[in-house]
Structures are given as C-alpha cells and as structure tokens.
Amino acid sequence: MTYDVAILGSGPGGYVAAIRAAQLGLKTICIEKSAGFGGTCLNVGCIPSKVLLYDSERSKDFQRMMVRKQEVIAKLAAGIQGLFQKHKVASLQGVGTLIAPHTIDVQGTQVEAKHIILATGSEPISLPFLPFDEQKIISSTGALSLTTVPKKMLVVGAGVIGVELGSVYKRLGSEVTFIEFCDRICPTFDQALSRELLKMLTAQGMNFHLSHKVIQAKGTTLTVQDLTGEKEFTADVVLVAIGRRPYTENLGLQTLGIQKDPKGFIVVDDSFRTHVPHIFAIGDLIDGPMLAHKASIEGTAVAELIAGRRPLVHYACIPSVAYTHPEVAAVGFTEEDLKAKNVPYQSATVPFKANARARCMGEMEGFVKMLVHADTHKLLGVHIIGQEASELIAGATLAMQLGATAEDLAATCY
C-alpha cells in the first residue's frame, strides 16, 4: 500500500491532519494502535474529564456519569470514523513502526508513504517509587475509570489536570488533598489567576500543601517533605498528576536517526520537519504546551505544507483553559512573561461583580485581566477567571489573532 501521507496516531493532531490532507487531494492513511479513534483526548483525556466535570456539578449519580461518559466517547469516535469515510481517509489498526525512510510496519503489514506525520501524543508521568496500578495509585486515565468514589483522595500535582480531576471527586464527596512541588497551583497561568483559583478552590473545601515534595511511598501513604521537615499523608486513592511525556515507544525513531531533546521531545524545525525532511512531528511529541487544539492546528499546518501551501501557526494566540468552577482561561503572554522579556505594557483588571450578566447569573467570582503594549495598545494577553471563561476567551483569541488593540476591542458592539 502506497500513500502520499501516512499518519501515526488518530488523536486531535493525527485525525485533523488526515482529514485536511485528504481535503487537499492527498491519498492519506491514518494508523492507530488502539481499537478506537481519537487518541488520549477523546478516550482518556479532555472529553471524558469534561463529561465528569459537567455532570458532577449537576448530579451525584456516579455510575450514571460513567455510563454517559462512555456514550459520549463512542459517539465522537464514530464521528471521526464517519469523517474518514467521507473524505476517503484509509485507516489501519495496529502499532506502527518506522523501518525505512518511507516504510511503516504495522504488525506485519507494510505501508509506504511519501510523507509521514508522527502524532502519537503523550502518556502520564509516574514517580519512580509510586508506579501506577490504576486502582489505588492512579494516573489521569485511572481517575476517569474508578468504580467507586473514594472517601479520601491525595492528588500529587496541582496543575490543570490535577485540579480538574480533584474538583470532580470533591464534588462527588471525596476529601481531596493536593501535594504540589511548586509554590503555587496551575503555574502556567498568570500569577494573579493562580492566586485567585487557589483561594476559590480552598473555599470549596479542597486542601493544598504547596512547596511540598513527595519523597517516599508505602501503599497509599506518602512521605512528604517541606521546609519544616517530613510528614505523612494517607488516602484511599492517590492520583499522580505531575505531567505527561511524549509517547515514542516502538516508533522506530533510532532506525532513521530521528533525534529527541533531553526531555524526550522530537526535535523539529519551524516547519515541523524532523532530521528526516519528509517525516514530520506534531502535538505532544514536540516542545510546547500539551494541548489538544495546539495539536490540531499543527496537524492542519503540516497537511498544508505537504500540499505546497504556506500556513502560519500563531503560538501566542493559542488559548488554554482549566475547567474548574469557576473556569480559568488565558491567551497570550502572562505578566511574568512580559517582565522577563522587558516588553513595555499596561495592565487592567475588572471584577466579574461589576458585570450585570454575572450578577444576573449569581456568578460574581473572578475577574478579567488584560495586558496591552504600552505604546501600540495591541493586546498581548487576556486572563480570565470566572463563569464561562472558556467561552469568553474565544473573543480575546480572535482579537489577538487579528492584531487588535484595546481600542478595537472597546469599540466592538457586544
């Protein structure tokens, strides 16, 4: 079998790249090691976690929530399959391994392709002394498949994944305690958002121990160290959410001399090309924020590059969201970024309680923080914590994508 483009992985990077390549007239195949399409995002990541976050605010029927989660996954996976059929994208199930510059072995079946896109995503990182069994010591994957709600849950890591899943189980009745190595939660967000979110989640009854390091474990009892010494924490379930790493197992990178950096990310140039020019890598495999929509836009860009177009990815205009209550959303630079880069800027913050819609909804917690260039007034960053922040950030993202100024935003009729 010979194709113009072969894609390894059917997550938000891979399947979007496949569809776009097919739309541009390229004969395309997508190879997926799992039984269903959609990758981590659809099957054990973004989608199931959002179902549980949504349902946990409205229901305490845990079993029904788990059933609905699977129903949503199944329908969306079927939707991807339908799009593949519509656009005549071939698919093959099995582990794909690079064995020659243009050849992929899929468990005995060989696929030839002029261009190859690596889109195999990432996997949760475990602690050396705390391996996952996905029952008592769980990753984000295990957290989405528990059969009962634990009375006590310890969450190691208070990044976005940790606080989202911790929020789910707190709402369902668990006593949730976070152990975080950094001195703040969700450290990728602007410090003002991190501080406000910590205050709000603490008020909801979650417990946070910042600047704490897990140094040892015995079952679900953790020995933790801070500046004052060592202490022990115990729970029914320990969720380890300390980050993710690129998934490159069995890809055959060494066979073709495709290089990785010290963190395990595949090295690519500005056009997503590896050291083998016709082989590209996108999404969680390459450096940058591990976001599903980032992978999608990169997948689209690579398909267009292969087709001879010249796409441009604006990384400063890729939003990020934490689906806590209230939500946190941001796009562009943080205040810390601008200070580090010596960019002259102005900052303005408006509380949600000043907004009539927020008062009508009874959701007055939070604020909008806007950063603009001091001279040109171009938007440099927008940071929101509050109800429906995930929806509001889209307007800010569009404005930044189009190079809008603060005056442009103010002059827009809402």
Side-chain angles (χ1 to χ4, degrees), residues 224-278:
V224 177
Q225 187 178 59
D226 69 352
L227 292 175
T228 64
E230 296 180 5
K231 59 190 85 172
E232 284 191 346
F233 293 85
T234 190
D236 303 299
V237 169
V238 177
L239 165 60
V240 180
I242 59 173
R244 299 178 65 84
R245 62 183 166 216
Y247 185 84
T248 57
E249 187 178 350
N250 298 318
L251 264 182
L253 300 181
Q254 292 180 332
T255 303
L256 301 186
I258 294 174
Q259 297 179 15
K260 295 192 289 185
D261 70 13
K263 294 182 179 180
F265 292 105
I266 294 176
V267 177
V268 294
D269 65 13
D270 292 342
S271 298
F272 308 100
R273 296 178 191 273
T274 68
H275 287 78
V276 181
H278 66 275

Side-chain angles (χ1 to χ4, degrees), residues 33 43 49 58-59 110 149 167 176 183 202 235-236 295 362 374 376 391:
K33 68 180 178 62
N43 293 283
S49 65
R58 294 157 180 81
S59 170
Q110 292 194 355
V149 177
S167 295
V176 180
D183 61 358
T202 300
D236 303 299
T376 66
E391 304 297 328

